[in-house]
Amino acid sequence: KAVSISYLAQDEAHDPNKSVLESLSLALPDIEPQDLIAAIEKAGFADASQNAGELSGGFRKRLSILKASLALPDLLLLDEPTNHLDLESTVWIERFLRNFQGSLVIISHDRYFLNRLVTSIAEIEHGQLTPYRHRYDDYLIEKAARIEQHEKAIVQQKKEIDKTERFIERF
């Protein structure tokens, strides 16, 4: 109950007629305007008075991340944070998230982004959650090893079943 959570949707809509500063002020009324302006400048925006409708996809995503993170949540949920972004915005988001003080849960298909940012992976497959304490490439290696181990166990089990059936038929 005491955990604060923010969510970054994959394609968050912004009021195109509101400026960057107005958008953040409405979403984060408890944060002082000078602090918002400092965050806007640090995020690389050229002009805090620019309307959200004039922003590129990368800067709209930066605005969304600022909205979600400036509330200082304990947990930040990110749905495909690098979708449709140019390299500059992807690098900014990665750097920004590395410095985030809370916990992150990231849903992403961007394996390069995941490799550079995550320290553990939780895979949901066939209704089961399997945790891995690795970066993405190491997760793939460990998953392949688990699959191979599982397949070997199935072959061994089949051999045991065949042996037992032969024994039963014989006696």
Side-chain angles (χ1 to χ4, degrees):
K1 290 182 179 182
V3 174
S4 60
I5 300 172
S6 285
Y7 170 67
L8 173 67
Q10 184 172 346
D11 294 311
E12 183 177 340
H14 300 285
D15 185 336
N17 299 314
K18 300 276 188 232
S19 72
V20 172
L21 181 57
E22 289 172 321
S23 295
L24 289 176
S25 295
L26 290 171
L28 304 160
D30 296 335
I31 298 179
E32 295 295 322
Q34 65 269 17
D35 293 335
L36 291 177
I37 291 171
I40 290 167
E41 288 174 0
K42 193 172 182 180
F45 288 89
D47 183 4
S49 64
Q50 183 177 13
N51 283 348
E54 300 169 357
L55 298 174
S56 69
F59 277 94
R60 283 194 305 271
K61 185 67 80 169
R62 290 182 195 205
L63 178 57
S64 296
I65 288 179
L66 286 176
K67 279 184 184 181
S69 64
L70 288 176
L72 302 176
D74 299 309
L75 176 62
L76 181 56
L77 305 173
L78 303 155
D79 186 5
E80 298 289 354
T82 61
N83 263 14
H84 313 298
L85 295 185
D86 61 11
L87 181 60
E88 179 185 342
S89 292
T90 301
V91 169
W92 178 85
I93 287 171
E94 181 182 324
R95 195 172 320 130
F96 182 86
L97 293 175
R98 256 201 205 106
N99 293 318
F100 181 72
Q101 295 300 306
S103 296
L104 300 170
V105 173
I106 303 170
I107 297 169
S108 180
H109 291 90
D110 184 342
R111 68 184 291 165
Y112 303 106
F113 178 75
L114 292 173
N115 260 335
R116 290 186 305 272
L117 200 61
V118 302
T119 57
S120 61
I121 304 258
E123 176 187 63
I124 301 172
E125 188 173 55
H126 305 298
Q128 241 183 344
L129 181 105
T130 305
Y132 296 87
R133 298 274 178 220
H134 308 290
R135 32 177 285 216
Y136 186 78
D137 282 346
D138 297 329
Y139 144 77
L140 291 176
I141 293 167
E142 186 175 332
K143 180 180 177 175
R146 282 187 185 192
I147 289 170
E148 183 179 339
Q149 182 181 22
H150 179 70
E151 288 171 350
K152 285 180 180 178
I154 289 172
V155 168
Q156 184 62 35
Q157 183 181 35
K158 174 84 170 108
K159 285 181 183 177
E160 289 296 320
I161 290 170
D162 290 346
K163 181 180 173 184
T164 302
E165 286 177 344
R166 283 193 308 274
F167 179 80
I168 291 170
E169 288 174 5
R170 190 168 160 211
F171 295 104

